[in-house]
């Protein structure tokens, strides 16, 4: 896509140069060289070479704060994505974090003899064919890669299955499932996204599922908004686990949680899907919990500062530490998240020496599943 | 390898050698990408732990191989296809034996890679 | 307004709502619901005895909720007609079945709890719509924290604070702790020039914010004001000069950059985050109070009224008028003026009102329009 097309499609020409995007940007707050407003203004001069040469284009977290605040409704993250796609075509790439491990895992998943293991989910009940499908995404792989910081991805997956089992759902899982392609999408790797999307849809259709349940907000986003653009009708409905879980909250008898906790809203879930109340209702359903809010919540929540595995610099660390400080100032010593990435990135920052007061990062589904009482099965 | 060659050893066709400066510098992504490209087996060879010039290169390599094996298993690929041995360059015979055993285990499939560290 | 209220040929129906229109082309029959005040309009002289004894309480709409009023109340002191009204939702007698204190203390006997709404019909030859504006609710823009951060208020709330008859008798005592606010930020374009909310310029906010900032300095020479703006739209004779006076004589600071977010420190001081687009830097500024220049939009019932009247509205909900005859709506005999047909300031609304009155008079005198 040319720069002109990117401008037209994102309606960047409506820019008022008001600066609300840059003022809202978590990166710009700590890194003055990056400014969404100036990126757009530069693009409007239609000097493609100049725009593509800008290495700062990979600094965008695609968190979408600028998108929802822009008074002219400029789709800035969409514009960034087009720009990155174009940059890739001329051989420019962002610098992958974690020594490309995650990229390599995705590459492995597209190879011919890949068959994903499902045995790690054995603690819950799953089947090969069912009305519901559970899409675990990269959780098991992230578990191995981030084992050193104590991230337990598999436990998130098994917790979700335990919750589903309690509701009375035995979800299908598949060995043909691959990465959802979220990060490939935002870094402009269109072809890879198409391959992953078709592979996933083929695998899920084989199970006969009519509803696909997601716990990862990014996978959910891809299935809900991007896949239909690629393959048309999915043949099933993507649903987030909160939609399934919340109506049953009253029937669960949770064990008490004696802790002061706060909640980190994931970008895709809160800002794009507007799922803000549901996780809070789930947390408040836990007896004796002392739930406190940070200042920047819901649509104004701050990104965990590394959304596409392409930026992990001093700036990202500063954003994370700033967020942790905000969480700690509420008095909470446990931060609950609903996104594996928030979990990984904030967990990493919380282990940093600069994070003076320690705070635990806990996944909401792990917390809920661990406190499921012995009560009756929900209806 | 030179020691083994002196004893009349040669690599079978389809096997290639990738020299690295230190086995501890191999990245998980590097090994995974070899498998993604369809390589049947990867044998990682490093110096003996006590011989490491960088103190913990070989130990680090062990961790990397462990992590890679776990990922391979999750991806439904037999972890045994990733071999790992620490030997000294003077152990020519040992090298021959290891390679022979690994080739057998990986099977008759042809594409193999040997990733050897050669710090000296 | 007082003149109009006293004019022998003007009949004023306050506290009433148009419910239906029949006929056309200069022969309209309006059905008007005259809501029950539970106070006899011709007897009450607004002495205030009832107000001093009434135990019911509700947020005062005229004071933008900054203080409470009683259940029997006078909407505002200069209102026409100057009579009390009982708000049945907050009246103890209407909600709990006993009290009637106002009835006991009123020596005129003006209270009538049995009063009912009446629907009256009027034959008229022309109608002028002048329903005015409501302000955009800024709590939808969660990043500004209105409703959550105590010291973030709207421009209209500020008007009440700085007004001598307002809840603080004209002192800028901020809501959180009643301390005098000396460092105030004015945030422009809250909801206006915003395609997801009000996609037009409200046209009055730049000027009233400058006025507010100057007033603050007049009340307190040590006050400092910051106006955060997109572009200053001082469109009008002398308006530019007014801005220059604010800069030079009143020390008002103008910062170009739309405010991104408002946070709060431990002492409830709002912290404004913004990009200073001239310096190309993201900055924060700690102030003592923030005033949001909220978008103005057609009054809430405007679309309903337009449907009743069979007149067209534009996509923003304003009454559409003819480009060549700006007071004429899409239906002959129905005219519009003021903010219900588009953003305008007070002088403009006044001249529009004269124009609409002229058009209506011409329409009536020729029988069926010109």
């Amino acid at each position: 896509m040319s720069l002109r097309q990117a401008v037209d499609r994102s309606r960047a020409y409506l820019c008022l140069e008001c600066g609300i995007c840059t003022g809202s940007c978590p990166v710009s707050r700590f890194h003055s060289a990056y400014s969404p407003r100036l990126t757009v203004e530069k693009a409007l001069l239609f000097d493609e070479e100049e725009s593509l040469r800008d290495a700062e284009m990979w600094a965008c977290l695609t968190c979408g704060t600028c998108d929802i605040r822009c008074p002219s409704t400029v789709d800035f993250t969409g514009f960034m994505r087009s720009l990155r796609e174009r940059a890739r075509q001329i051989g420019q790439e962002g610098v992958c974090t974690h020594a490309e491990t995650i990229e390599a895992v995705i590459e492995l998943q597209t190879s011919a003899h890949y068959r994903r293991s499902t045995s790690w989910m054995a603690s819950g009940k799953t089947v090969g064919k069912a009305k519901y499908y559970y899409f675990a995404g990269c959780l098991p792989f992230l578990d191995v890669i981030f084992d050193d910081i104590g991230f337990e991805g598999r436990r998130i997956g098994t917790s979700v299955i335990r919750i589903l089992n309690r509701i009375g759902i035995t979800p299908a899982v598949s060995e043909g499932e691959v990465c959802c392609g979220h990060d490939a999408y935002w870094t402009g790797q269109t072809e890879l996204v198409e391959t992953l999307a078709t592979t996933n849809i083929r695998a899920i259709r084989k199970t006969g599922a009519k509803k696909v349940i997601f716990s990862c907000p990014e996978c959910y986003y891809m299935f809900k908004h991007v896949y239909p653009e690629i393959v048309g009708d999915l043949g099933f409905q993507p649903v987030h686990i909160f939609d399934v879980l919340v109506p049953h909250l009253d029937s669960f008898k949770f064990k008490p949680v004696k802790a002061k906790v706060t909640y980190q809203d994931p970008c895709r879930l809160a800002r794009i899907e507007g799922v803000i109340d549901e996780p809070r209702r789930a947390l408040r359903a836990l007896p004796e919990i002392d739930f406190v809010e940070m200042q920047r919540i819901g649509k104004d929540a701050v990104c965990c500062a590394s959304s596409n595995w392409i930026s992990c610099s001093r700036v990202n660390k500063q954003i994370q530490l700033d967020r942790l400080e905000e969480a700690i100032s509420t008095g909470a010593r446990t931060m609950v998240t609903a996104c594996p990435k928030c979990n990984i990135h904030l967990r990493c920052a919380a282990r940093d020496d600069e994070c003076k007061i320690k705070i635990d990062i806990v996944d909401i589904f792990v917390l809920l599943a661990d406190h499921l009482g012995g009560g009756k099965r929900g209806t | 390898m030179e020691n083994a060659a002196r004893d009349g050893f040669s690599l079978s066709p389809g096997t290639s050698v990738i020299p690295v400066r230190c086995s501890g510098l191999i990245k998980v992504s590097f090994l995974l990408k070899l498998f993604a490209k369809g390589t049947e087996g990867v044998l990682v060879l490093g110096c003996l732990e006590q011989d490491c010039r960088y103190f913990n290169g070989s130990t680090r390599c062990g961790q990397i191989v462990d992590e890679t094996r776990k990922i391979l298993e999750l991806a439904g690929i037999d972890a045994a296809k990733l071999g790992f041995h620490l030997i000294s360059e003077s152990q020519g015979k040992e090298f021959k034996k290891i390679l022979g055993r690994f080739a057998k285990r990986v099977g008759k499939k042809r594409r193999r890679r040997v990733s050897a560290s050669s710090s000296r | 307004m007082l003149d109009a209220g006293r004019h022998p040929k003007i009949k004023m129906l306050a506290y009433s709502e148009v419910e239906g229109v029949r006929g056309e082309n200069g022969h309209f029959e309006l059905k008007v619901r005259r809501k029950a005040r539970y106070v006899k309009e011709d007897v009450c002289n607004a002495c205030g005895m009832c107000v001093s004894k009434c135990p019911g309480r509700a947020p005062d709409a005229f004071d933008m909720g900054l203080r409470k009023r009683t259940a029997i109340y006078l909407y505002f002191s200069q209102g026409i007609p100057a009579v009390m009204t009982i708000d049945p939702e907050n009246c103890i007698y209407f909600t709990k079945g006993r009290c009637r204190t106002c009835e006991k203390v009123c020596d005129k006997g003006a209270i009538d709890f049995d009063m009912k709404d009446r629907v009256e019909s009027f034959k008229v030859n022309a109608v002028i719509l002048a329903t005015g504006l409501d302000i955009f609710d800024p709590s939808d823009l969660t990043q500004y924290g209105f409703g959550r951060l105590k010291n973030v208020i709207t421009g209209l709330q500020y008007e009440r604070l700085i007004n001598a008859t307002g809840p603080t008798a004209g002192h800028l005592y901020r809501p959180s702790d009643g301390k005098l606010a000396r460092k105030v930020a004015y945030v422009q374009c809250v909801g206006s020039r915003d395609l997801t909310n009000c996609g037009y310029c409200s046209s009055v906010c730049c000027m009233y914010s400058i006025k507010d900032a100057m007033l603050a300095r007049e009340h307190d020479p040590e006050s400092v004001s910051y106006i955060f703006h997109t572009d200053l739209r001082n469109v009008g004779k002398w308006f530019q000069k007014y801005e220059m006076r604010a800069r030079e004589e009143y020390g008002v600071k103008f910062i170009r950059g739309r405010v991104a977010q408002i946070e709060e420190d431990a002492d409830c001081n709002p912290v404004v985050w913004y990009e200073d687009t001239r310096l190309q830097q993201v900055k924060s500024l700690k102030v003592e109070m923030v005033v949001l220049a909220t978008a103005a939009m057609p009054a809430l019932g405007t679309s309903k009224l337009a449907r009743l009247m069979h007149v067209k509205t534009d996509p923003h909900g304003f009454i559409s008028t003819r480009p060549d005859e700006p007071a004429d709506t899409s239906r002959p005999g129905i005219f519009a003026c003021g903010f219900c047909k588009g953003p305008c300031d007070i002088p403009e609304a006044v001249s529009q009102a004269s124009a609409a009155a002229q058009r209506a008079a011409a329409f009536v005198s020729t029988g069926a329009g010109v």
Side-chain angles (χ1 to χ4, degrees):
Chain A
M1 195 186 292
S2 73
L3 186 62
R4 190 168 284 274
Q5 281 171 311
V7 165
D8 286 349
R9 195 189 272 195
S10 60
R11 307 219 295 171
Y13 51 78
L14 289 177
C15 175
L16 291 172
E17 304 177 14
C18 70
I20 207 165
C21 48
T22 301
S24 302
C25 178
V27 179
S28 302
R29 206 183 256 209
F30 295 100
H31 182 54
S32 58
Y34 175 71
S35 161
R37 180 177 67 86
L38 293 178
T39 308
V40 165
E41 282 180 36
K42 203 189 275 181
L44 290 172
L45 299 173
F46 296 107
D47 182 348
E48 185 158 299
E49 206 181 317
E50 177 68 29
S51 275
L52 294 178
R53 207 169 33 219
D54 188 4
E56 294 296 342
M57 82 166 82
W58 304 100
C60 170
L61 305 171
T62 70
C63 72
T65 315
C66 51
D67 287 352
I68 61 157
R69 289 192 188 160
C70 176
S72 299
T73 63
V74 173
D75 175 13
F76 182 77
T77 50
F79 171 75
M80 253 344 197
R81 199 172 59 73
S82 312
L83 207 62
R84 287 172 176 183
E85 194 182 313
R86 184 86 191 97
R88 269 185 181 272
Q89 286 167 359
I90 60 164
Q92 280 189 30
E93 287 181 27
V95 181
C96 286
T97 52
H98 310 288
E100 294 190 330
T101 309
I102 292 148
E103 209 191 60
V105 168
I106 297 170
E107 205 178 313
L108 193 68
Q109 298 189 14
T110 54
S111 71
H113 41 272
Y114 165 83
R115 278 186 86 212
R116 155 188 294 242
S117 155
T118 55
S119 58
W120 61 273
M121 299 191 252
S123 66
K125 248 177 33 188
T126 57
V127 286
K129 274 180 185 289
K131 193 177 152 223
Y132 290 93
Y133 181 92
Y134 172 51
F135 190 89
C138 292
L139 283 175
F141 297 103
L142 298 177
D143 184 308
V144 176
I145 299 167
F146 297 103
D147 189 37
D148 56 336
I149 55 167
F151 173 72
E152 297 176 299
R154 280 181 272 203
R155 198 159 152 216
I156 298 176
T158 49
S159 297
V160 170
I161 294 171
R162 273 172 64 203
I163 293 170
L164 289 176
N165 288 170
R166 179 61 68 92
I167 295 169
I169 294 171
T170 308
V173 291
S174 164
E175 291 181 338
E177 179 183 314
V178 291
C179 163
C180 69
H182 177 270
D183 304 307
Y185 177 73
W186 287 108
T187 49
Q189 304 174 68
T190 318
E191 280 172 33
L192 178 58
V193 177
E194 283 170 15
T195 316
L196 294 170
T198 44
T199 315
N200 271 328
I201 284 170
R202 204 182 312 127
I204 294 170
R205 280 184 186 159
K206 264 188 205 158
T207 65
K210 287 286 153 242
K211 283 187 174 176
V212 180
I213 298 170
F214 297 87
S215 54
C216 172
E218 300 192 338
C219 302
Y220 179 54
Y221 170 82
M222 287 302 283
F223 274 75
K224 198 170 169 192
H225 301 285
V226 182
Y227 281 18
E229 278 178 28
I230 299 172
V231 297
D233 181 32
L234 300 180
F236 53 79
Q237 184 198 353
V239 282
H240 193 270
I241 167 114
F242 281 130
D243 296 337
V244 185
L245 167 66
V246 169
H248 292 276
L249 278 175
D250 295 339
S251 67
F252 287 163
K253 286 208 169 52
F254 288 110
K255 286 182 273 189
V257 176
K258 291 192 179 80
K260 198 167 187 176
V261 305
T262 187
Y263 175 73
Q264 154 80 0
D265 284 284
C267 299
R268 307 282 169 245
L269 207 55
R271 245 188 300 278
I272 298 180
E273 303 302 337
V275 180
I276 295 167
D277 256 9
E278 291 85 343
R280 290 172 170 80
R281 281 175 64 188
L283 285 175
R284 290 209 171 92
L286 294 163
E288 291 177 44
I289 197 163
D290 185 1
F291 178 65
V292 283
E293 289 279 21
M294 290 182 274
Q295 272 208 40
R296 294 174 283 178
I297 56 165
K299 286 189 188 323
D300 305 314
V302 185
C303 176
C304 70
S306 190
S307 52
N308 309 126
W309 309 115
I310 46 164
S311 42
C312 185
S313 66
R314 183 80 220 131
V315 180
N316 302 74
K317 184 75 84 189
Q318 267 174 297
I319 300 170
Q320 288 154 0
L321 289 170
D322 177 61
R323 185 59 166 169
L324 287 175
E325 213 169 273
E326 188 178 339
I328 289 164
S329 71
T330 63
R333 291 295 172 267
T334 305
M335 190 190 214
V336 178
T337 84
C339 175
K341 270 192 195 163
C342 296
N343 192 323
I344 292 166
H345 294 125
L346 294 169
R347 185 180 283 269
C348 172
R351 291 162 59 92
D352 197 284
D353 288 342
E354 282 179 50
C355 186
K356 296 282 186 286
I357 300 167
K358 289 302 153 205
I359 183 162
D360 282 336
I361 316 293
V362 177
D363 187 87
I364 188 165
F365 306 112
V366 173
L367 184 73
L368 292 173
D370 283 358
H371 291 84
L372 279 176
K376 275 174 275 167
R377 175 171 282 208
T379 43
Chain B
M1 207 192 293
E2 289 83 350
N3 273 332
R6 197 179 53 208
D7 291 350
F9 170 79
S10 65
L11 287 172
S12 55
T15 305
S16 54
V17 179
I18 305 169
V20 292
R21 197 151 36 89
C22 167
S23 61
L25 289 177
I26 299 174
K27 297 280 179 267
V28 176
S29 57
F30 176 75
L31 296 174
L32 290 177
K33 283 185 176 185
L34 289 176
F35 283 101
K37 288 195 170 68
T39 312
E40 281 302 331
V42 178
L43 178 61
V44 178
L45 296 172
C47 306
L48 294 172
E49 274 184 40
Q50 64 270 28
D51 288 351
C52 180
R53 284 185 147 196
Y54 314 108
F55 300 108
N56 61 354
S58 304
T59 324
R60 176 86 193 96
C61 183
Q63 293 164 351
I64 289 161
V65 168
D66 271 355
E67 187 176 329
T68 315
R69 280 179 177 159
K70 282 183 193 161
I71 294 175
L72 287 176
E73 268 177 10
L74 285 172
I77 295 166
D78 184 5
K81 288 181 178 175
L82 176 61
F84 173 55
H85 283 279
L86 299 180
I87 57 167
S88 161
E89 59 177 320
S90 57
Q91 293 172 291
K93 278 187 193 141
E94 185 70 16
F95 170 71
K96 217 170 114 181
K97 243 195 271 171
I98 290 170
L99 200 65
R101 257 201 319 238
F102 183 68
K104 218 179 203 172
R105 188 161 20 134
V106 171
K108 49 191 181 306
K109 325 250 169 68
R110 244 161 278 131
R111 295 188 59 191
R112 286 190 293 273
R113 300 277 170 105
V114 179
S115 192
S117 106
S118 52
S119 51
R120 274 166 271 185
Chain C
M1 195 155 60
L2 199 63
D3 285 348
R6 285 177 182 157
H7 198 283
K9 289 201 166 180
I10 295 177
K11 186 167 181 180
M12 195 177 270
L13 312 178
Y15 209 53
S16 304
E17 211 175 303
V18 176
E19 288 199 331
V21 187
R22 274 208 312 221
E24 59 189 310
N25 223 17
H27 302 282
F28 300 107
E29 192 181 344
L30 297 185
K31 216 163 77 180
V32 178
R33 174 172 296 269
R34 307 210 54 197
K35 291 192 250 179
R37 284 182 194 273
Y38 308 105
V39 176
K40 292 172 197 151
E41 272 185 32
D42 46 348
V43 180
C44 175
N45 65 352
C47 67
M49 191 52 117
C50 50
V51 171
S52 65
K53 300 283 187 228
C54 175
R57 290 290 179 274
D60 190 329
F62 184 72
D63 273 337
M64 298 292 129
L66 289 171
R67 66 175 156 188
K68 298 245 161 125
R69 61 157 169 80
T70 46
I72 184 163
Y73 68 108
L74 191 64
Y75 181 63
F76 76 108
S77 44
Q78 290 87 26
I80 309 270
V83 287
M84 297 293 169
T85 305
I86 294 177
D87 148 27
E89 278 172 30
N90 295 293
C91 169
I92 312 269
Y93 173 68
F94 278 107
T95 54
K96 303 227 169 73
R98 72 178 99 146
C99 177
R100 299 180 85 121
T101 308
C102 47
E103 196 177 31
K104 283 168 217 150
V105 298
C106 182
D107 46 16
K108 297 263 182 198
I111 312 291
D112 176 7
F113 283 109
D114 300 323
M115 198 181 267
K116 294 272 177 308
D117 286 6
R118 281 174 296 137
V119 178
E120 292 177 10
S121 285
F122 297 92
K123 285 205 166 88
V124 296
N125 299 111
V127 178
I128 298 173
L129 307 177
T131 46
L133 60 96
D134 266 319
I135 62 161
F136 169 76
D137 179 3
S139 47
D140 291 352
L141 298 172
T142 50
Q143 66 265 35
Y144 295 145
F146 180 76
R148 184 167 48 86
L149 309 181
K150 284 187 181 142
N151 294 324
V152 175
I153 62 170
T154 63
L156 277 180
Q157 287 181 321
Y158 180 93
E159 294 285 344
R160 294 310 299 152
L161 284 186
I162 202 94
N163 192 301
T165 66
T168 54
H171 300 287
L172 278 187
Y173 296 140
R174 63 181 197 171
S176 75
D177 48 13
K179 274 203 295 207
L180 189 65
R182 290 204 147 129
K183 198 172 169 188
V184 183
Y186 298 82
V187 178
Q188 300 308 108
C189 298
V190 177
S192 35
R193 298 184 72 189
D194 180 342
L195 299 183
T196 42
N197 294 299
C198 301
Y200 51 86
C201 172
S202 298
S203 90
V204 290
C205 332
C206 285
M207 286 309 285
Y208 83 60
S209 293
I210 295 173
K211 179 208 72 181
D212 287 349
M214 286 163 77
L215 272 179
R217 177 57 84 89
E218 272 174 9
H219 280 231
D220 175 5
E222 280 173 52
S223 90
V224 198
S225 297
Y226 299 83
I227 296 183
F228 293 90
H229 60 94
T230 314
D231 322 291
L232 281 171
R233 293 195 156 174
N234 311 326
V235 189
K237 199 174 169 184
W238 304 123
F239 285 14
Q240 189 79 25
K241 189 155 188 192
Y242 192 73
E243 177 208 323
M244 280 160 65
R245 251 179 77 207
R247 280 181 199 271
E248 289 163 3
E249 292 170 32
Y250 289 80
V252 178
K253 297 184 169 51
F254 290 85
I255 298 170
R256 193 191 179 282
R258 207 147 160 165
V259 169
Q261 192 156 352
I262 302 172
E263 291 165 23
E264 196 181 57
D265 74 358
D267 302 321
C268 288
N269 292 313
V271 180
V272 177
W273 282 89
Y274 63 99
E275 186 205 3
D276 186 323
T277 57
R278 291 209 174 96
L279 302 176
Q280 304 189 349
Q281 277 170 0
V282 176
K283 292 180 152 195
S284 67
L285 178 75
K286 190 169 94 178
V287 292
E288 287 161 3
M289 193 162 77
V290 171
V291 180
L292 304 177
T294 43
M297 45 195 211
L300 286 176
T302 306
S303 58
K304 190 181 154 199
L305 181 70
R307 272 199 306 279
L308 277 178
M309 295 283 173
H310 300 288
V311 296
K312 289 191 181 129
T313 53
D314 68 14
H316 301 305
F318 292 109
I319 307 273
S320 298
T321 46
R322 278 167 51 185
D324 56 337
E325 283 296 353
D328 292 24
T329 66
S330 58
R331 199 169 168 208
I334 299 184
F335 305 90
C337 60
F339 217 99
C340 74
K341 61 174 280 257
C344 59
D345 63 3
I346 296 169
E348 203 183 326
V350 171
S351 63
Q352 282 182 22
S354 300
Q358 283 293 334
R359 290 289 299 162
F363 182 84
V364 171
S365 63
T366 55
V370 229

